[in-house]
Amino acid sequence: MPALHSVAPKPENCSPDQRMDDAATTNQPADAAPDKPCLAYPLQTNTQSFLQRALYPIVLKFEEIVYKVGGEDKGSCCTGKSSAREKTILNGVTGMVCPGEILAMLGPSGSGKTTLLTALGGRLYGKLSGKVTYNSQPFSGSIKRLTGFVAQDDVLYPHLTVKETLLFTALLRLPQSLTREEKSQHVESVITELGLSRCRNSMIGGPLFRGISGGEKKRVSIGQEMLINPSLLLLDEPTSGLDSTTALRIITTIKRLATGGRTVVTTIHQPSSRLYHMFDKVVLLSEGCPIYYGSAPNALEYFSSIGFSTPLTVNPADLMLDLANGIKPDSSNVIEQGNSTEQERQSVRETLLSAYDKNISTTLKTELCNLDSHSYNYAVDGSRRSQAKGEQWCTSWWHQFKVLLMRGLKERRYNAFNRLRIFQVISVAFLAGLLWWRTPTSHIADRVAMLFFFAVFWGFYPLYNAVFTFPQERRMLIKERSSGMYRLSSYFLAKTVGDLPLELALPTAFTFILYWMGGLKPEPLTFTLSLLIVLFSVLVSQSLGLAFGAILMDVKQATTLASVTTLVFLIAGGYYVQQIPPFILWLKYLSYSFYCFKLLLGVQYNDNDYYECSKGHYCRVADFPGVKAVGFNHMWVDVSVMAMMLVGYRFIAYLALHRVR
């Protein structure tokens, strides 16, 4: 592969001999790529070979990448009209990274570094043009599973330990052909390699409680991607917010991973000179336009050749960032940056763009064209088979469901059974029990009010808790779904089933306390049916909350909508307004609180029940105005309507999650 030799300093990583060795390791033909890329990671008994060698090297090329977003121009003060316009985020970025290399993307804030990295990871949607290829093939499900993407923010579950976090990731992302013990060995290898042994049993931590340090969180995020032994590793600001020593350790780890034949691309804001000299190639962006691409050690020589030399010994990254901001590298201008006018900055930028087009762009396009003449049979064949058979998953639906259910129970137990929540529910139950203490059967209005309180409290309390579920997990869902970790259906059902024991325990305790303290019908069957109705209402209410959260994906908006909805359901629930005007009567049929209240009345009373309406005089319960307005007929219809609400709301929530990207 002579073209690759002329561009990459480590051509042996892409050599046929290397592929033969890798094929021998995986017991596959040398020119074959796996139908299921995850199956390309058999357990290595040698920890170093697992962590230090990529089984399928990838040559990443990106040509003339242009990305635009729609903006809004408020228009002039004279016309007052607004017109839509486009803003160019990336403008003609071209480059290539070979196995064994680290490409660093430098540039000021807002220059398009993260956008370009997202495009290279196949995660950018919208008005994107240009060409991105992986071993001369377009992005596919096979490439996705060979790619590790580490976002700038560490999206981790706070209540899981380091080992649990990596183990659940391994169970989901490594193939089922490996046993749990073998996957656990992978986790131990990654923990050792990334220096996480000391904090292996420590919780990740979050805003409300302290966990591991920022550098350790970043290494955990990298470790999650290293579990799949990726051929392409993309990192967004891996040293952001870290001290220089921790940053050096992370980049050193990444460098060590790259030497195993991995293709590494990282964005970095302002690296120190120690970090800069660990990069093989650099792309320098200024307002979305490339002004340098090439060898990192040769960057200063290039800028000096086009008239931007400095007599001072400076960090190359500092000089490059100054140039990207339009600041000349002379000492007086650097010290007095505020004195440089916008015109001077623009002049520097135009000079750099012109020099890039003249000295780099043409040569780079020629090298990429020469590289296109070489084929990568193992990637081509794998891509064709992947397209023929469709996107494959590493694990079965049932396996994903079990692992996600287990992980959800471990994480959610701290939220569902925290002391404040338990105290809140139990204290309300006892307070309500004291208010309705042993209510006599003759006090029909109080007993009906108690049943309506059951319907209202457990119709609204779960709703407000459920609206937080998906908005809080949005970033995690995007991260894991983008990596092809699991099916959305397995995630959704695991979330639904996992919430059942946690969400139904408190209403069960509440009903036990208030039912017997309030003196309701003391028959086991009646109590059991009442409890089942309350739990049924909890599930329907929770379903509506999940739907609100999934549709809006914003806690404030979802809570506001839930408040309006609960107010309408409360008023139309059949207790406060019994003679609803005909034109708005339909509102009560949308209220699950109405059906729950009606079912509770139907369980407690029937048409032949009487109460003492005055001394020595008995009246039919069915004739009491508050009961008559609701009635107890067609109870199975009410159960069916609530069941339709339960399924319908959750189905809407599931469909809404498909829009999350």
Side-chain angles (χ1 to χ4, degrees):
M1 301 174 64
L4 185 58
H5 282 230
S6 63
V7 178
K10 303 176 181 62
E12 68 278 6
N13 292 315
C14 293
S15 66
D17 292 338
Q18 175 68 51
R19 296 205 305 272
M20 289 292 292
D21 293 341
D22 295 334
T25 305
T26 57
N27 298 319
Q28 294 186 10
D31 62 344
D35 289 340
K36 300 178 182 180
C38 297
L39 299 182
Y41 311 118
L43 180 67
Q44 304 275 345
T45 55
N46 187 336
T47 298
Q48 290 187 345
S49 62
F50 164 65
L51 289 171
Q52 294 184 359
R53 193 171 76 178
L55 298 178
Y56 295 96
I58 289 178
V59 177
L60 171 64
K61 294 191 300 180
F62 46 100
E63 304 173 54
E64 296 297 328
I65 301 300
V66 177
Y67 182 67
K68 299 179 180 180
V69 295
E72 185 174 333
D73 189 359
K74 296 182 179 179
S76 64
C77 59
C78 299
T79 61
K81 296 180 180 180
S82 61
S83 59
R85 61 171 182 170
E86 286 185 334
K87 180 180 180 182
T88 302
I89 306 298
L90 296 173
N91 191 4
V93 186
T94 300
M96 180 182 67
V97 202
C98 288
E101 292 181 338
I102 298 181
L103 171 68
M105 299 179 184
L106 273 67
S109 299
S111 59
K113 302 187 299 295
T114 299
T115 304
L116 178 57
L117 188 77
T118 308
L120 298 182
R123 304 183 178 204
L124 192 61
Y125 304 93
K127 299 177 182 178
L128 178 66
S129 62
K131 184 179 179 183
V132 182
T133 59
Y134 312 79
N135 290 342
S136 299
Q137 298 298 317
F139 187 80
S140 63
S142 301
I143 297 298
K144 179 194 290 187
R145 283 166 180 74
L146 291 171
T147 302
F149 192 101
V150 181
Q152 179 176 354
D153 298 326
D154 300 311
V155 184
L156 304 167
Y157 282 112
H159 293 104
L160 297 181
T161 65
V162 170
K163 183 178 179 180
E164 288 173 343
T165 299
L166 295 175
L167 181 59
F168 282 124
T169 302
L171 293 174
L172 288 169
R173 300 190 71 175
L174 293 178
Q176 279 187 273
S177 58
L178 301 180
T179 65
R180 185 184 178 92
E181 290 73 21
E182 290 172 332
K183 293 179 181 180
S184 181
Q185 290 181 34
H186 279 296
V187 171
E188 294 297 334
S189 300
V190 171
I191 288 177
T192 303
E193 177 70 14
L194 296 178
L196 295 170
S197 301
R198 187 179 61 178
C199 60
R200 57 187 297 128
N201 295 318
S202 301
M203 283 190 180
I204 299 297
L208 301 180
F209 68 100
R210 184 176 178 83
I212 59 178
S213 67
E216 289 167 337
K217 287 182 181 179
K218 181 61 65 177
R219 276 179 276 157
V220 171
S221 297
I222 296 174
Q224 286 184 306
E225 303 304 320
M226 288 311 304
L227 284 168
I228 64 168
N229 195 15
S231 297
L232 174 62
L233 184 59
L234 308 175
L235 305 103
D236 189 13
E237 300 279 4
T239 61
S240 177
L242 304 179
D243 62 85
S244 59
T245 303
T246 305
L248 178 62
R249 181 172 187 179
I250 287 178
I251 297 299
T252 302
T253 301
I254 295 172
K255 182 70 173 179
R256 186 164 63 249
L257 297 173
T259 57
R262 295 178 183 85
T263 304
V264 179
V265 183
T266 180
T267 66
I268 194 161
H269 184 61
Q270 193 164 9
S272 65
S273 58
R274 291 192 299 177
L275 300 186
Y276 179 85
H277 289 296
M278 299 179 74
F279 303 139
D280 299 295
K281 290 180 179 178
V282 170
V283 170
L284 180 60
L285 299 176
S286 176
E287 298 182 12
C289 299
I291 56 177
Y292 178 74
Y293 165 82
S295 170
N298 296 337
L300 287 182
E301 181 181 348
Y302 166 76
F303 287 114
S304 178
S305 68
I306 60 174
F308 294 102
S309 60
T310 175
L312 303 177
T313 302
V314 298
N315 176 5
D318 292 338
L319 172 64
M320 296 169 73
L321 288 173
D322 285 340
L323 290 173
N325 282 300
I327 301 173
K328 294 181 180 180
D330 56 272
S331 57
S332 61
N333 196 31
V334 172
I335 296 173
E336 302 176 3
Q337 293 179 10
N339 294 336
S340 59
T341 64
E342 183 62 30
Q343 185 176 2
E344 292 174 345
R345 291 172 183 259
Q346 191 63 27
S347 175
V348 171
R349 186 168 174 272
E350 289 176 357
T351 303
L352 291 168
L353 291 173
S354 176
Y356 177 86
D357 292 335
K358 179 180 178 181
N359 301 317
I360 297 179
S361 180
T362 304
T363 305
L364 178 58
K365 290 177 182 178
T366 302
E367 291 178 343
L368 293 181
C369 289
N370 292 335
L371 191 66
D372 283 336
S373 62
H374 297 271
S375 61
Y376 305 89
N377 295 327
Y378 62 96
V380 173
D381 293 342
S383 176
R384 287 173 181 168
R385 281 196 295 271
S386 177
Q387 292 172 3
K389 293 188 176 183
E391 187 172 320
Q392 303 290 333
W393 297 92
C394 296
T395 54
S396 67
W397 186 95
W398 178 246
H399 178 82
Q400 293 171 7
F401 171 78
K402 290 190 298 183
V403 174
L404 290 170
L405 178 61
M406 189 188 314
R407 186 181 72 174
L409 291 174
K410 277 185 172 289
E411 171 63 23
R412 290 266 290 155
R413 67 186 186 272
Y414 294 96
N415 295 328
F417 290 122
N418 63 65
R419 296 178 181 178
L420 182 61
R421 235 185 124 181
I422 295 174
F423 172 77
Q424 181 183 19
V425 172
I426 300 301
S427 61
V428 170
F430 274 106
L431 179 60
L434 294 175
L435 291 173
W436 275 290
W437 177 259
R438 300 294 181 185
T439 304
T441 56
S442 59
H443 295 180
I444 185 68
D446 289 345
R447 294 172 74 89
V448 169
M450 189 196 317
L451 296 176
F452 186 71
F453 178 72
F454 269 108
V456 168
F457 187 81
W458 289 110
F460 301 154
Y461 184 80
L463 172 64
Y464 286 101
N465 287 327
V467 295
F468 290 87
T469 301
F470 292 127
Q472 288 180 337
E473 293 212 353
R474 179 176 182 271
R475 294 166 62 208
M476 181 66 73
L477 182 62
I478 291 174
K479 170 190 171 183
E480 295 182 338
R481 288 275 294 156
S482 298
S483 301
M485 192 177 292
Y486 47 71
R487 300 167 178 85
L488 182 61
S489 57
S490 59
Y491 165 82
F492 185 81
L493 195 60
K495 178 66 64 176
T496 300
V497 175
D499 285 345
L500 291 180
L502 305 178
E503 294 296 335
L504 298 182
L506 289 178
T508 300
F510 181 94
T511 305
F512 265 99
I513 295 171
L514 181 55
Y515 189 95
W516 299 109
M517 289 182 68
L520 293 173
K521 203 170 182 178
E523 295 180 2
L525 179 60
T526 304
F527 167 75
T528 303
L529 291 176
S530 299
L531 175 60
L532 292 177
I533 292 169
V534 171
L535 297 181
F536 195 20
S537 178
V538 167
L539 294 179
V540 177
S541 173
Q542 184 192 39
S543 302
L544 183 59
L546 292 176
F548 283 163
I551 292 172
L552 298 176
M553 275 298 171
D554 182 89
V555 172
K556 290 184 179 180
Q557 294 181 13
T559 305
T560 301
L561 181 58
S563 301
V564 175
T565 304
T566 53
L567 180 61
V568 174
F569 286 0
L570 178 66
I571 297 175
Y575 180 78
Y576 290 109
V577 184
Q578 298 168 10
Q579 302 299 325
I580 302 178
F583 69 89
I584 204 172
L585 184 63
W586 55 272
L587 271 179
K588 73 176 183 180
Y589 297 113
L590 301 179
S591 171
Y592 52 81
S593 299
F594 167 77
Y595 296 106
C596 179
F597 179 43
K598 184 178 179 182
L599 289 172
L600 289 173
L601 285 175
V603 168
Q604 287 292 320
Y605 302 105
N606 57 52
D607 289 333
N608 299 321
D609 284 340
Y610 290 83
Y611 70 99
E612 190 176 7
C613 49
S614 60
K615 190 171 184 180
H617 183 69
Y618 290 86
C619 302
R620 291 178 70 242
V621 172
D623 294 331
F624 181 73
V627 176
K628 187 176 182 180
V630 178
F632 354 92
N633 298 325
H634 310 296
M635 293 181 63
W636 283 110
V637 175
D638 301 330
V639 172
S640 301
V641 172
M642 291 187 69
M644 291 174 60
M645 289 182 175
L646 173 65
V647 176
Y649 290 149
R650 290 184 184 263
F651 184 67
I652 291 173
Y654 175 74
L655 292 180
L657 288 180
H658 274 285
R659 301 180 299 108
V660 177
R661 287 184 175 180

